[in-house]
Amino acid sequence: MQEYNFDGLVGPTHSYAGLSHGNLASAAHAGHVGNPRAAALQGLEKMRFVASLGAYQAVLPPQPRPDVAALRSLGLTGDDRAVLAVAAREHPQLLRLCSSASAMWTANAATVAPSDDSEDRKLHLTVANLVSMFHRSLEAHTTTRVLRRIFADRERFAVHPALPAAELLSDEGAANHTRLCTDAATVHLFAYGRSTFRPGALPRSFPARQSLEASEAVSRLHRLLPEQCVFWQQDPAGIDAGAFHTDVLAVGNANFLMLHERAFVETQALLEQLQRRLGGGLRLCVATEGELAAATAVKTYPFNSQLLSLADGSMVIVAPSEASSDAQASRFLERVVDEANPVRAVHYIDVNASMKNGGGPACLRLRVPLTDGERQAVSARVFFDEALYAELKAWIERHYRDRLTPTDFADPALLNEVYSALDELTRLLALGSVYDFQRSAP
């Protein structure tokens, strides 16, 4: 079994609209002029770099935006041009929400359990409903269709639709889930921010997005045994510091977990439980508030790094360049490498276009462990190689604008450009007609 990093291609409407309450970077950069072409190329270069390390890389397509169908569902009428014009004139914030390229952060696309772990020996993916943020909740329909096209073999794969769109079952996907394994056992660590039936402390400033009830439902859908699962609450103080998802303050891979002490409540109790279940092979590295302030960790994202296993059994960290320029963050990552951990190196990369909206390297990828047989069962052309890289780069340069502001969302030409680009992309990736605009075409 090998882990594939399914990165989301940055969409043609990449912008800085400041839509995500509790995401400090998103709020800080609201209104900045975007460059979708440069952002998409930057994300593509990250994929190429990860692949060059020997890790396994794949891609997921963007979603069509502006989402005119969503605007129509809110009562706007007329053809596409009329809907966009009315939205821009009378409901500009709705237009911004329905134009977000947020599907690029595929850590929120779904939660994944490999076939090695599930009782039915299938790879399970449950699409996240993302109901805590309206603009993200629009993604689930298309995400389900894309994942079912990629993982189409029902004998090997189970792609579950999003949980019902209710506050009780608010689900943020893999950004609040970590799979850890040693020779002794495997544990799925489900992090949650709140619970209806098990009330606890809540953040004061920002929303707790993930619910315990959603995490429990996902574990059942994935046919995981109770002894494989640990459900633990995020620290409300960490959420208020800007850790809207657990992966802002914690990242784990195989037998290694590194986290900030503000990632979870009762950190020591959690680590003791993980140690009991996983045994002496588990390696842990905790940053204290004194060593690395939570506010600094949120600003520089050393934990929102990719923690990758390489062929020789070692691990490397792919961190955002912002972490290298901060003394606290860089010293912490140096300690991770120096101590008795499996991590052998830290590589810093530039994903600033994503970071300005609050998404580091880990936000941009969905981790999907696949056996060789499962890999061969995927017929879509989504696995990264140099030929696909060259074609995607040319596709981006051909279709993407180099300047975009929220006022451009009203331009009917932009919508046509997006449809044309994505129609070509689905052929390039051998996905078929996965978008509504393709299915409704004559």
Side-chain angles (χ1 to χ4, degrees):
M1 191 172 68
Q2 304 290 348
E3 181 178 275
Y4 287 79
N5 296 275
F6 278 76
D7 277 42
L9 285 165
V10 176
T13 59
H14 173 76
S15 64
Y16 303 106
L19 303 176
S20 187
H21 182 53
N23 181 330
L24 300 182
S26 173
H29 296 98
H32 287 208
V33 175
N35 185 333
R37 184 188 303 161
L41 291 173
Q42 191 177 75
L44 189 63
E45 291 303 322
K46 181 185 85 73
M47 297 183 219
R48 191 185 196 192
F49 178 74
V50 168
S52 75
L53 295 174
Y56 294 86
Q57 183 67 56
V59 299
L60 290 175
Q63 299 200 7
R65 295 293 184 269
D67 190 337
V68 182
L71 291 169
R72 287 199 178 93
S73 74
L74 300 174
L76 280 67
T77 59
D79 60 15
D80 291 349
R81 180 183 292 270
V83 168
L84 293 174
V86 172
R89 184 174 63 251
E90 300 178 13
H91 309 286
Q93 188 60 16
L94 288 181
L95 180 57
R96 292 187 180 94
L97 289 165
C98 291
S99 301
S100 172
S102 54
M104 62 190 273
W105 294 296
T106 57
N108 301 113
T111 306
V112 182
S115 54
D116 277 4
D117 299 353
S118 60
E119 281 190 290
D120 61 2
R121 289 298 181 248
K122 291 184 180 181
L123 172 78
H124 286 261
L125 303 97
T126 296
V127 174
N129 60 30
L130 300 171
V131 295
S132 63
M133 296 288 157
F134 171 75
H135 67 290
R136 301 227 58 183
S137 71
L138 301 177
E139 298 169 21
H141 169 72
T142 300
T143 298
T144 302
R145 187 176 287 164
V146 169
L147 291 180
R148 284 183 171 170
R149 173 62 188 89
I150 294 172
F151 302 104
D153 185 343
R154 295 190 178 184
E155 295 299 314
R156 296 178 180 272
F157 308 123
V159 179
H160 305 281
L163 299 174
E167 183 180 10
L168 172 70
L169 298 169
S170 178
D171 181 23
E172 296 289 304
N176 275 48
H177 167 264
T178 302
R179 178 181 183 267
L180 299 168
C181 60
T182 63
D183 291 339
T186 295
V187 165
H188 289 256
L189 174 57
F190 290 91
Y192 67 92
R194 56 180 170 80
S195 170
T196 299
F197 302 132
R198 195 189 301 174
L202 294 172
R204 297 183 178 185
S205 301
F206 299 134
R209 302 188 187 185
Q210 181 78 26
S211 77
L212 170 61
E213 291 74 21
S215 296
E216 291 174 333
V218 169
S219 74
R220 292 190 293 269
L221 287 169
H222 290 187
R223 306 287 295 273
L224 299 175
L225 298 173
E227 57 265 29
Q228 294 174 292
C229 301
V230 171
F231 302 93
W232 212 270
Q233 186 179 0
Q234 296 169 262
D235 188 338
I239 295 175
D240 278 339
F244 49 100
H245 294 135
T246 297
D247 66 3
V248 175
L249 289 180
V251 61
N253 177 58
N255 69 330
F256 180 58
L257 175 66
M258 69 181 206
L259 67 158
H260 193 278
E261 66 176 346
R262 291 298 187 194
F264 298 95
V265 300
E266 301 177 7
T267 301
Q268 189 57 40
L270 168 63
L271 300 183
E272 289 172 0
Q273 182 169 155
L274 292 175
Q275 203 84 64
R276 283 195 300 271
R277 296 205 188 191
L278 292 166
L282 179 65
R283 296 290 178 263
L284 301 165
C285 186
V286 182
T288 66
E289 184 71 16
E291 177 186 19
L292 173 59
T296 301
V298 168
K299 183 178 180 181
T300 59
Y301 271 27
F303 296 98
N304 198 256
S305 299
Q306 288 182 256
L307 189 53
L308 303 169
S309 293
L310 302 184
D312 64 0
S314 68
M315 298 184 197
V316 297
I317 291 172
V318 177
S321 56
E322 284 81 355
S324 68
S325 57
D326 180 86
Q328 282 193 335
S330 60
R331 277 199 302 268
F332 169 72
L333 290 175
E334 289 167 6
R335 178 167 76 82
V336 172
V337 174
D338 286 344
E339 293 189 352
N341 298 315
V343 179
R344 294 292 171 263
V346 178
H347 302 283
Y348 295 100
I349 60 169
D350 183 4
V351 287
N352 182 255
S354 178
M355 286 286 288
K356 288 170 68 176
N357 264 328
C363 288
L364 288 161
R365 59 93 178 97
L366 179 68
R367 303 161 78 168
V368 183
L370 297 172
T371 66
D372 288 344
E374 290 164 350
R375 162 68 175 80
Q376 292 166 10
V378 174
S379 60
R381 191 190 176 205
V382 293
F383 297 106
F384 197 87
D385 57 25
E386 279 298 305
L388 183 58
Y389 163 79
E391 291 182 51
L392 289 174
K393 183 177 181 181
W395 172 79
I396 291 166
E397 291 173 338
R398 188 162 56 248
H399 289 286
Y400 279 51
R401 297 186 179 189
D402 61 4
R403 188 181 190 280
L404 195 73
T405 68
T407 59
D408 294 320
F409 297 147
D411 182 3
L414 175 64
L415 185 64
N416 291 334
E417 291 166 18
V418 170
Y419 285 176
S420 177
L422 296 186
D423 196 42
E424 180 180 330
L425 180 65
T426 54
R427 293 193 296 273
L428 192 157
L429 298 179
L431 288 172
S433 298
V434 293
Y435 299 125
D436 286 340
F437 76 83
Q438 294 172 315
R439 291 169 168 239
S440 62

